[in-house]
Amino acid sequence: QVRVVESGGGLVQPGGSLRLSCGASGITFSLYNMNWYRQAPGKERELVASISSSGGTATYSDSVKGRFTTSRDNAKNTVYLQMNSLKPEDTAVYYCNANLRGQSRINYWGQGTQVTVSS
């Protein structure tokens, strides 16, 4: 059984930081590219960060570039999203996605974790 579980969300003031974690089980983690999406109320789900299966390549949306960093520890089957200089517009439910390398239709999703940026 595949499980993808996010943690680390919460309430933070503008300018603050949070680190999200996403653990996966039931898959060969090192074969999966990992992605972070977010969805704000009334908006479509947005891809914010991706990291390759080896961890050698990370990409970011323009909206978070320079503020967010994604990394992974394949020994721990975990991917991270470090979020700095948070803004109210970063408020959303953040989802972790595992995508099998080379197989775009094989995806697993977590349940999401709420991030709220507010004073």
Side-chain angles (χ1 to χ4, degrees):
Q1 181 182 1
V2 178
R3 290 193 70 208
V4 178
V5 180
E6 304 95 338
S7 62
L11 174 64
V12 63
Q13 292 187 343
S17 297
L18 278 178
R19 188 175 84 153
L20 305 183
S21 299
C22 170
S25 60
I27 59 174
T28 304
F29 187 73
S30 62
L31 296 181
Y32 283 74
N33 299 321
M34 298 299 294
N35 305 295
W36 289 96
Y37 288 79
R38 68 185 181 188
Q39 188 165 22
K43 295 190 176 181
E44 293 187 357
R45 192 170 293 193
E46 171 193 15
L47 175 64
V48 296
S50 299
I51 187 165
S52 61
S53 56
S54 68
T57 302
T59 57
Y60 304 91
S61 67
D62 288 343
S63 60
V64 307
K65 197 172 296 181
R67 300 187 297 121
F68 290 12
T69 303
T70 187
S71 60
R72 65 190 294 161
D73 185 340
N74 283 353
K76 295 183 178 179
N77 285 11
T78 301
V79 62
Y80 306 98
L81 184 67
Q82 178 67 43
M83 305 185 295
N84 298 330
S85 302
L86 283 161
K87 305 175 181 180
E89 51 263 44
D90 294 317
T91 296
V93 178
Y94 283 72
Y95 297 91
C96 180
N97 164 263
N99 171 229
L100 181 61
R101 190 177 62 204
Q103 299 288 333
S104 61
R105 289 180 294 178
I106 299 178
N107 287 279
Y108 301 101
W109 291 87
Q111 81 290 347
T113 186
Q114 176 70 48
V115 171
T116 302
V117 184
S118 175
S119 54

